[in-house]
Amino acid sequence: MTNTRIPAVRPSRPAATPATGAAQPSARDRGTRLLATLFLAPTIVGIVVFTVVPIVGSVVLSLFHWNVIDSPRWAGAANYREVFTDSTVLVSFRNTLVFMVLAVALQLLIALVLALAVNGRMPMWLRSVFRSAFFFPLVLSAASISVVMKYLFNQDFGVVNWVLGQVGIAPVPWLTSEHSAMAAVILVYVWQQFGFSFLLFVGGLNNIPKEIHEAASLDGATGLRKHLHVTLPLLSPTLLVATVVGVINALQVFEQPYVLTDGGPGDSTRTVVMVIYESAFEQLRFGEASAVGVLLFVLIMAVTALQFRLSRRFVHYQ
């Protein structure tokens, strides 16, 4: 009898159908996108209306002569040429850069030292008191604080000179001398602003794992050495944020020098934003003021870009 071999029957595969395109989003996905758009719309509109439009408007206005009363007249690059030949504007840029370097350095140093002190062995309730006390000046108006500080730094009846007199130091002309006016403005500014950096540093210190400090202690690192080689590298991302924000704010300083010294004596405390205000609202030279504002914007962007460029070498992420 002959054995016949029956071939196995393979299941047939369904014929390939032409691609019908990507899946259509469901009603739930469309609703989620619409809801996200509605939530983002106020922020986007606010950025466009209050940031993008003024920047573009300033750039356009910087190319014209305009005093609000008469029609704008085309100026081209004349406003920028005038800026670079105006000694007052050049001095204001120099003062602003000096102020930025000194104020930001002092602000970060004070904030870091106080953050390290508060983050040490201290009862929680006392730590909360210090946090609130150091941050409180930041919520106050810079103009109102400057008015009070103007009386405190008064050469004749100010409290600061009275305290110095108790230890045998002669009265200092804080607000009327070219050598001390900038120092007084910096002190007032730092006193109000360091609370923001302080809170950033406190948060950054709390995010550093305790195991790292314990391991450093086992390796023999103590005190200042531990902070320099362990704490600061781990805190460098927070330090970058505090520095960028501090520099941007310092380059736009206005209230403190305007109220305390009105830019004087001479032009020793006149800043760029003060020049913009005086050119626009006192002299009605809106074209020239816009040109100065555009240059300040470029300076801020350049300094910020330089900071992020340097951060690649000095900032260490965990």
Side-chain angles (χ1 to χ4, degrees):
M1 189 173 180
T2 307
N3 294 330
T4 59
R5 200 170 176 185
I6 302 175
V9 179
R10 297 180 180 179
S12 60
R13 296 180 180 179
T17 57
T20 58
Q24 297 296 324
S26 63
R28 182 176 180 180
D29 293 336
R30 289 194 297 268
T32 302
R33 294 176 182 177
L34 178 60
L35 185 62
T37 303
L38 292 177
F39 276 115
L40 291 174
T43 302
I44 295 175
V45 171
I47 292 175
V48 171
V49 173
F50 297 106
T51 303
V52 177
V53 172
I55 290 176
V56 175
S58 297
V59 174
V60 174
L61 188 58
S62 67
L63 303 176
F64 290 85
H65 291 304
W66 188 46
N67 60 1
V68 182
I69 301 173
D70 302 322
S71 300
R73 293 179 293 106
W74 175 257
N79 289 331
Y80 291 95
R81 288 195 297 267
E82 184 175 350
V83 166
F84 286 108
T85 57
D86 191 333
S87 60
T88 301
V89 177
L90 297 179
V91 168
S92 70
F93 271 96
R94 184 198 64 188
N95 293 339
T96 302
L97 291 174
V98 172
F99 176 88
M100 177 201 71
V101 173
L102 298 179
V104 173
L106 185 60
Q107 173 184 335
L108 296 180
L109 178 61
I110 294 176
L112 181 59
V113 171
L114 292 177
L116 290 172
V118 170
N119 202 58
R121 296 181 179 179
M122 183 180 296
M124 184 60 66
W125 66 270
L126 187 58
R127 187 177 303 177
S128 300
V129 170
F130 280 121
R131 289 179 182 177
S132 301
F134 293 150
F135 187 77
F136 181 70
L138 194 62
V139 303
L140 299 177
S141 167
S144 60
I145 289 178
S146 299
V147 170
V148 175
M149 291 297 181
K150 188 172 184 178
Y151 285 99
L152 295 180
F153 281 99
N154 186 277
Q155 180 179 356
D156 299 322
F157 53 82
V159 175
V160 175
N161 277 341
W162 178 83
V163 173
L164 294 178
Q166 301 304 306
V167 295
I169 299 178
V172 178
W174 292 103
L175 305 177
T176 57
S177 172
E178 294 184 359
H179 303 288
S180 57
M182 181 62 77
V185 173
I186 291 174
L187 290 175
V188 174
Y189 177 86
V190 170
W191 180 83
Q192 184 182 14
Q193 295 291 328
F194 83 90
F196 177 77
S197 302
F198 167 77
L199 287 186
L200 286 180
F201 290 146
V202 169
L205 290 172
N206 290 332
N207 289 330
I208 298 177
K210 296 182 179 179
E211 294 80 6
I212 297 180
H213 283 293
E214 293 174 356
S217 299
L218 292 176
D219 289 338
T222 58
L224 183 60
R225 184 179 179 184
K226 181 193 294 187
H227 291 318
L228 290 177
H229 297 284
V230 178
T231 305
L232 282 182
L234 295 176
L235 197 63
S236 56
T238 306
L239 185 61
L240 173 64
V241 175
T243 304
V244 170
V245 175
V247 166
I248 293 175
N249 291 336
L251 287 174
Q252 302 177 81
V253 63
F254 172 74
E255 294 94 337
Q256 289 83 1
Y258 183 77
V259 175
L260 288 171
T261 63
D262 195 21
D267 291 326
S268 60
T269 58
R270 195 171 308 279
T271 62
V272 177
V273 179
M274 288 184 64
V275 170
I276 296 174
Y277 172 81
E278 293 166 354
S279 298
F281 299 104
E282 294 181 1
Q283 304 170 9
L284 299 182
R285 300 164 57 195
F286 284 90
E288 293 82 349
S290 298
V292 178
V294 171
L295 293 177
L296 177 61
F297 175 76
V298 173
L299 176 62
I300 292 174
M301 296 299 293
V303 173
T304 304
L306 178 62
Q307 289 176 284
F308 280 105
R309 179 72 178 180
L310 295 176
S311 69
R312 299 178 184 179
R313 178 179 301 179
F314 300 105
V315 177
H316 308 279
Y317 296 96
Q318 298 184 26

